[in-house]
Amino acid sequence: MPANAQQQPTAPPPDAPTRSFTGADLFGLSIAADPQISPDVRSIVYVRRTGDIMTDRMQSSLWLIDVASGRQSPLAAQGSSPRWSPDGTRVAYIAPDGDGSQLFVRWIATGASARVTSFPGSPQALAWSPDGTRLAYIATVAGEATKLGKAPPKPEGAKWAEPLTVIDRVNYRNDGPGYVKPGRDHLFVVAADGGAVRQLTFGAFDDGGPLSWTPDGREIVFAAIRGPEADRQVMNSDVIAVDVATATMRTLTTRDGPDGQPRVSPDGARIAWLGFDDKRRSYENTQLYVGDRNAGGPRSLTASLDRGIEDAVWAADSRGLYADYDDHGRRRIARIALDGRMTPLVDNVAGGGLDRPYTGGEFSVSRGGTIAYTGGDAGAPADVWIYSGGKPRRLTQLNAVLTGTKALAPVRKIAVTAPDGRPIDAWIATPAGHVPGRRLPLILEIHGGPNSAYGPSFATDVQLYAAAGYAVLWTNPRGSTSYGAEFANLIDKNYPSADYDDLIAAVDAAIADGTADPQNLFVTGGSGGGVLTAWIVGKTDRFKAAATQKPVINWVSEALTMDNTLFTSRYWFSKLPWEDPMSYWKRSPLSIVGNVKTPTLVVVGSDDYRTPVSEAEQYYAALQIRGVPTALVKVPGASHGGFTARPSQSAAKASAILAWFDRYRTGPGAPVPAPAKPASPAAESPQ
């Protein structure tokens, strides 16, 4: 046999692993969250969320990192919300126990853990007292259900129907937890080594974290909406201080607008918090405020930043704070002095989710100013990073084995200019090995919110779409955050509107640069992106197929059935639905469904209470009545926020969308050949 014949590559066996990213790979992914750096800066404890193929859930475990070497060791097989004691000898955390969760403490030196609560309500918002002897937390106190009348006496042994449910709260259900059970969230304190639990707050109100102790240990500062009209307020929380010894409360802020996430300075002289004046607009920049110990003389440190602050923590010297915020689709961390001067530090914060490329991430800061944070890029889910000495350093590579065996889609930024001349940020992913200049079918992926932002982050939906041979385009049209309040409020009381033009301009840019095939355009998006998907197919026939995910179709019905009952009519419209129904109707995709010719898939979680199932079903029914090709996909047990929480459903949802698009995809490599349909002029609706 000739020598050169012996050197020919051997074809891989048919059952060999594929280098393409697949739905099964979602179970192999891990993502870092909530990194907490120890007081001595030697260790970081963080939450690692990993797909569990047997339970079909993302399981949370706690891991310790040695900062110097990067070595990791497990701290708890299950757990969340880790918090170091002030002396660094212990870590408090929350872990499942029986039907709920409880508060545990781990002694680092011995490796021993002890449960310190046995309260029926699962704890959250943990906070150590300054001397390390106590822990404060928030938990739900069960209440009595409202009753009206009663059924006749039940014979012994009889099997009767469940008793009536009486609902009398304004906000009677929440996306995720579902229908509100009787009870309220309140503040508790327990000894750090266990013992009796003491409740500090009471009443028909819900108190929230984070919790912040004063340095003398006498008070805890938190935020809540309290008062006689508390249930009818949407975003009017105040900063409140409670005396730990007497449970006496003092309300420290009173303005119309949210005041929350309070933090007492290490020297006890000031309080910082986040908030804004509520002007009933769809978006306001959340600003960082500082006042004296009683929140008196408040002033904004970030009024000139024109970006919304996500979180802020005090520097150990009490002369400034570290804060994170989104800027042009990226989350950043900066130090902000008490005179408002800002020093940018970190620009690659990432994390929070896996399916779509939203901005996100978390951080903590040591007494010496070392920052532990979740960071990354489009190549992998978030890892733990550290910023020290002016330089960032990556400490974990949680997905190196998986990503090293997969041909992932590269991501690049693409230049887009809106019709009015505004620059629009956009990114495009192409299949691994794509030859530049060869046109591809394009999926336009639209973010929700609409006041939120995408960025150049890892996303499983993007990778699955690209692995199927599509280019994927995502963008931040007007209304997106991270570009300032003016840009976000271009759609205030006018959504959807010109954001449509920004999205179409992005598609045109992808065509102009030679990537997108103009005869194979597809569109999808969830929540606000679902609204815009349905709006787009009512305005133009350019797209071969669409998939609207958990959309709002009729703003009147959404305003009266969503979980936050008072929100839509207060912030996205000027009047109530019955006062000005046409303003709701003209912004509803249902108003232009008569124009739709595009085959449109409708996808929704069966337990969605934010954009309720009835919205998706209305659109599906309208498309069926009109004879437009459609199908309705429901994700069993999924809420709006938990739409892709279970890996199998996340993979199956993406697969269903791809199968729908493949039906109508044409040209080379099309899975299912179909006659090409030329694009028709835009079908405009009355404005």
Side-chain angles (χ1 to χ4, degrees), residues 25-61:
D25 291 325
L26 271 64
F27 290 102
L29 294 174
S30 294
I31 185 170
D34 201 6
Q36 297 293 315
I37 192 163
S38 64
D40 62 8
V41 200
R42 293 181 179 179
S43 303
I44 295 171
V45 60
Y46 75 98
V47 178
R48 183 189 296 184
R49 297 175 55 239
T50 303
D52 183 341
I53 199 167
M54 299 308 293
T55 63
D56 190 20
R57 294 188 183 278
M58 296 296 289
Q59 299 290 355
S60 294
S61 57

Side-chain angles (χ1 to χ4, degrees), residues 508-534:
D508 289 340
I511 294 171
D513 85 346
T515 302
D517 176 358
Q519 299 302 315
N520 275 292
L521 303 177
F522 302 86
V523 58
T524 189
S527 192
V531 174
L532 283 164
T533 297

Side-chain angles (χ1 to χ4, degrees), residues 600-640:
T600 301
L601 185 70
V602 185
V603 189
V604 69
S606 65
D607 291 348
D608 190 328
Y609 294 136
R610 182 62 46 80
T611 56
V613 178
S614 56
E615 293 296 307
E617 291 177 338
Q618 285 182 73
Y619 201 56
Y620 171 72
L623 293 171
Q624 285 284 16
I625 290 169
R626 291 206 59 251
V628 177
T630 187
L632 176 64
V633 174
K634 288 188 176 181
V635 183
S639 64
H640 190 86

Side-chain angles (χ1 to χ4, degrees), residues 15 28 68 85 137 160 199 209 220 343 369 481-483 505 551 576 609 665:
D15 60 347
S85 62
Y137 62 92
W160 282 21
Q199 184 175 342
I220 298 172
T343 304
T481 54
S482 78
Y483 303 91
L576 297 171
Y609 294 136
R665 174 176 159 187

Side-chain angles (χ1 to χ4, degrees), residues 170-190:
V170 177
N171 294 311
Y172 59 93
R173 60 184 184 181
N174 294 317
D175 186 67
Y179 281 81
V180 175
K181 296 179 180 179
R184 296 288 184 168
D185 291 345
H186 289 303
L187 196 159
F188 294 81
V189 171
V190 65

Side-chain angles (χ1 to χ4, degrees), residues 265-266 270 272-274 286-290 299-326 332-346 363 365 369 371:
S265 62
R270 298 177 179 86
W273 68 95
L274 304 183
T286 299
Q287 298 183 43
L288 172 60
Y289 289 84
V290 170
R299 54 194 177 87
S300 172
L301 302 186
T302 59
S304 62
L305 176 62
D306 197 21
R307 297 291 186 270
I309 302 298
E310 299 292 332
D311 194 12
V313 296
W314 280 98
D317 60 10
S318 298
R319 296 179 180 177
L321 297 102
Y322 295 87
D324 64 340
Y325 58 96
D326 288 346
R332 305 173 187 270
I333 299 174
R335 176 163 171 150
I336 302 174
L338 293 181
D339 61 4
R341 287 180 299 170
M342 189 170 72
T343 304
L345 302 173
V346 176
F363 75 102
V365 184
I371 303 172

